Amino acid sequence: MNRHEHGHRHHDEAMLSVEDALERILGHFHVLEAEETPLLDALGQILAEDAVSAHDIPPLDNSAMDGYAIQAASVANATEESPMTLRVVGAVAAGELPSTSVEPGTAVRIMTGAPIPPGADSVVPFEETDEIERRNSGHDITEIGIKIAAPLGSDIRPAGQDVRENTRVLSAGTVLRPSEIGVLASLGFGKVKVVRRPVVAILSTGDELLNAGDAYSEGKIYDANSYSVAASVLRYGGVPKLLGIARDNLDSMNTKLREGLEADMLITSAGVSKGDYDMVKDVLADHGRIAFWSVRMRPAKPLAFGVLNAGGDRQVPHLGLPGNPVSAMVAFEQFGRAAIHKMMGKTGYLKPRIQAILDEPIYNTDGRRVYARAVISKQNGDYHAKLTGNQSSNLLTSMAGANGLAVCPEDLSVKEAGETVEVQMLDWPEDVF
Ligand code: AMP
Ligand code: MG
């Protein structure tokens, strides 16, 4: 073995910190190109160009209330006991343009959102008029009694109050949440240019695996990882492409891997622990290159990362998750999620984190960062972290019960009960608030 190979081997097999592994992985991902997409589909995506308003919102001065548009001077002396009576000369509803103007001594009946008629400088809501008495009398309302001296401009919403014509309302780089989607709709955009969603090909490997929905067969287990990973990809904004199950032989692996070459990323699970290296390595040698890492974390110490040659200059990054279902999910949360975020143009890669009081100890036997499945709840104003029991990485139901991952740092042999622990929140169920 020459020096270079030796160095390379050493490099691959050294224990990497979570941060180093993440940095190396993210170095292979780039923000994807922008594409136009129907507005609603863009939820959670990143706006790729500034959104500029073509007109004012609201477009015209309009009424904040159902009532009467008047001139404030006409009702300067109005009181509850002696209302000022005005002649009703018209009506205007939202979406209409006023056909009559308001003059001294007259009023136009107006609905919320309707444009203010020319001449009017205030709106008096129905509640401050004798509208109800008159309506109850059964006669047409030709006059209206105003019971207050309306301040100038009252209940008029000025044009452009929300958005001014020709201004940048949302900047490129903004994450589109429901409120931003609403703002874009209010600007009239039916489509929007966003960073496109990454297509993530997902492949499980193992002779023991059955696809969910297939008949049960003794000695086999159902493939959980394809589904937990695909669901995570969906949740974080990517488009999962399930390749199914590759068997533990070269042909099967080769065939399936080829199906993943059109994706923006391939995620496999299993086959990355010591015993399995050789075959996966051989397969990957045909398609690209791969490194097998030991990451200083528990669960999910073994991790593979490489690139597949996809024709021409194109390369597809490949993340090889461990097979144990909890390991696969925890590694996905640390690395897969970040890669998806980076491709989508998002800058914050970390899950939301909180500090919680640990209700029981987390033991750390071998200097790795421990991600303990935990249930976080709020008690007397403090967050508390209770572990979900047995932390073996094959127990997927313990992941289902958890809403967070409580982190014991690699340099501590134990995080004691009562100590403060950092928790990566997986979810924010109601009882955590
Ligand atoms: P391996 O890395 O292939 O040795 O797998 C480690 C453990 O994870 C074994 O117990 C496998 O049966 C299990 N495993 C691998 N892939 C899956 C999967 N897709 N779903 C559930 N368990 C799996
Ligand atoms: Mg296996």
Side-chain angles (χ1 to χ4, degrees):
M1 183 184 288
N2 66 33
R3 267 186 64 204
H4 177 76
E5 276 170 356
H6 181 80
H8 188 68
R9 167 71 63 87
H10 178 77
H11 194 70
D12 283 351
E13 294 184 353
M15 274 269 217
L16 283 176
S17 68
V18 173
E19 285 71 23
D20 285 347
L22 181 60
E23 198 186 314
R24 288 190 190 191
I25 289 169
L26 291 182
H28 285 85
F29 290 91
H30 306 282
V31 179
L32 298 175
E33 65 282 11
E35 68 179 16
E36 202 161 63
T37 182
L39 181 57
L40 193 52
D41 293 350
L43 180 65
Q45 286 178 276
I46 300 286
L47 195 59
E49 60 187 14
D50 294 345
V52 176
S53 51
H55 21 70
D56 283 349
I57 307 173
L60 299 169
D61 291 353
N62 69 95
S63 179
M65 298 291 282
D66 295 331
Y68 286 87
I70 55 141
Q71 291 188 353
S74 303
V75 297
N77 300 319
T79 62
E80 176 92 41
E81 294 73 33
S82 60
M84 294 290 297
T85 302
L86 305 180
R87 197 157 53 85
V88 177
V89 294
V92 57
E96 293 178 355
L97 291 175
S99 55
T100 27
S101 47
V102 172
E103 277 148 31
T106 72
V108 165
R109 201 161 185 272
I110 193 166
M111 297 298 124
T112 303
I116 303 297
D121 56 25
S122 290
V123 169
V124 177
F126 286 155
E127 299 87 304
E128 310 291 354
T129 70
D130 57 10
E131 160 95 12
I132 291 190
E133 293 96 299
R134 285 176 192 268
R135 205 178 321 154
N136 289 345
S137 78
H139 296 294
D140 282 355
I141 300 179
T142 54
E143 294 186 326
I144 190 73
I146 307 290
K147 297 179 179 177
I148 52 156
L152 198 63
S154 60
D155 285 320
I156 293 181
R157 307 188 292 204
Q161 185 182 32
D162 195 7
V163 170
R164 279 263 171 230
E165 177 181 352
N166 252 323
T167 54
R168 179 173 64 196
V169 184
L170 298 174
S171 304
T174 302
V175 183
L176 302 181
R177 303 169 304 159
S179 47
E180 283 77 21
I181 297 280
V183 166
L184 289 166
S186 80
L187 297 174
F189 291 105
K191 292 179 189 161
V192 65
K193 204 162 187 193
V194 289
V195 178
R196 75 173 173 84
R197 298 179 186 279
V199 175
V200 180
I202 298 162
L203 178 63
S204 286
T205 66
D207 286 339
E208 74 277 36
L209 299 178
L210 296 171
N211 189 34
D214 285 356
Y216 179 70
S217 162
E218 201 164 290
K220 309 285 187 197
I221 60 169
Y222 284 111
D223 167 17
N225 297 346
S226 284
Y227 289 89
S228 62
V229 171
S232 302
V233 166
L234 261 183
R235 178 187 206 180
Y236 297 130
V239 180
K241 181 181 175 188
L242 289 174
L243 303 183
I245 298 165
R247 299 304 169 192
D248 289 321
N249 65 68
L250 295 182
D251 274 356
S252 178
M253 285 274 255
N254 273 316
T255 310
K256 286 294 185 183
L257 278 180
R258 258 192 293 276
E259 292 173 25
L261 294 182
E262 272 162 34
D264 298 298
M265 176 184 193
L266 169 70
I267 298 182
T268 58
S269 69
V272 295
S273 43
K274 294 275 181 214
D276 300 317
Y277 273 22
D278 287 346
M279 202 196 57
V280 180
K281 221 171 203 166
D282 288 347
V283 174
L284 266 298
D286 289 352
H287 291 277
R289 59 198 155 79
I290 192 161
F292 292 86
W293 296 339
S294 288
V295 184
R296 197 172 293 122
M297 62 191 285
R298 176 192 295 275
K301 177 169 107 171
L303 191 77
F305 187 76
V307 288
L308 300 171
N309 298 321
D313 287 344
R314 219 178 89 79
Q315 293 194 316
V316 182
H318 166 212
L319 177 64
L321 303 173
N324 274 311
V326 175
S327 309
M329 285 199 78
V330 171
F332 178 89
E333 285 292 338
Q334 308 310 313
F335 307 115
R337 175 180 185 271
I340 288 172
H341 276 199
K342 182 164 183 186
M343 287 190 276
M344 290 186 75
K346 298 184 182 182
T347 47
Y349 302 137
L350 299 175
K351 290 292 272 189
R353 285 174 293 179
I354 60 161
Q355 303 291 318
I357 298 167
L358 199 50
D359 284 353
E360 57 195 297
I362 302 175
Y363 296 104
N364 187 4
T365 50
D366 57 359
R368 292 192 256 161
R369 185 178 305 170
V370 181
Y371 295 90
R373 283 141 266 165
V375 178
I376 311 307
S377 60
K378 203 163 196 181
Q379 295 164 28
N380 306 320
D382 287 320
Y383 293 121
H384 281 256
K386 193 171 163 31
L387 306 191
T388 56
N390 188 330
Q391 295 286 311
S392 297
S393 59
N394 56 325
L395 304 177
L396 189 53
T397 53
S398 68
M399 195 70 188
N403 57 12
L405 298 172
V407 180
C408 175
E410 42 272 59
D411 56 356
L412 290 184
S413 59
V414 61
K415 233 344 175 183
E416 300 283 6
E419 288 191 298
T420 299
V421 69
E422 184 176 272
V423 181
Q424 290 186 0
M425 295 306 291
L426 297 167
D427 298 284
W428 289 99
E430 242 154 79
D431 56 357
V432 173
F433 288 103

